[in-house]
Amino acid sequence: TDRVNGGRYLITTGASFGAYHAMSFGLRHPGRVNRILGLSGLYDIREQTGGYSDESIYFHNPADFVLGENDPDRLAAMRGMDIIIAIGQDDPMRPGNEEFSRRLHSKGIWHALRIWDGWAHDWPFWRGMLVKYIGGHD
């Protein structure tokens, strides 16, 4: 049985900037989401805001709000999630994914950081990631 959603299992997933949306939504609503699957994602949007920051940016930037989270109930909910971050070894966003992984670990939030061979920032790779981490048929 699942701990949320009346026994239904909810997964947020996305590729590239969609991975940001999946991660941001899932971590902002940990009591509603069971699994987050981010494929070749961006988890720190500060570069996209041109240096502008306010409370809204902070609470929609996983790299920031995860570090600032201190509520024991929210942290427990985040720690109960199944979080998978998949990125290509040669993807230019890999360092950002590794930094985000360190931030999750610093808060005791278990997750899997999976480094795929090559660039892996394209639909054929993302399809393979979806099949591997969610399941499906070829």
Side-chain angles (χ1 to χ4, degrees), residues 3-137:
R3 63 178 169 71
V4 296
N5 302 320
R8 290 170 285 194
Y9 195 87
L10 181 63
I11 300 171
T12 59
T13 189
S16 197
F17 200 55
Y20 153 78
H21 290 290
M23 191 68 66
S24 181
F25 181 86
L27 291 173
R28 283 186 291 121
H29 304 283
R32 296 182 178 176
V33 176
N34 300 89
R35 175 180 286 178
I36 303 170
L37 176 55
L39 313 174
S40 307
L42 171 74
Y43 307 113
D44 187 343
I45 62 169
R46 289 178 286 184
E47 187 176 310
Q48 277 58 43
T49 65
Y52 176 78
S53 186
D54 62 14
E55 188 173 290
S56 181
I57 299 289
Y58 174 86
F59 285 109
H60 287 88
N61 188 24
D64 284 338
F65 74 74
V66 163
L67 280 183
E69 186 60 68
N70 293 308
D71 180 278
D73 293 332
R74 287 186 49 76
L75 283 168
M78 287 180 189
R79 291 173 182 143
M81 300 173 78
D82 181 14
I83 301 171
I84 302 169
I85 301 168
I87 186 98
Q89 181 174 333
D90 300 330
D91 192 309
M93 290 192 288
R94 179 181 170 192
N97 280 236
E98 292 171 330
E99 173 58 26
F100 184 63
S101 174
R102 285 188 289 275
R103 289 176 184 219
L104 290 171
H105 278 300
S106 77
K107 298 305 272 189
I109 301 169
W110 182 91
H111 62 284
L113 174 62
R114 300 291 181 238
I115 309 295
W116 284 56
D117 286 338
W119 186 57
H121 196 103
D122 203 355
W123 284 109
F125 295 99
W126 295 330
R127 182 182 184 283
M129 293 172 182
L130 287 169
V131 169
K132 182 169 184 76
Y133 302 123
I134 295 178
H137 304 286

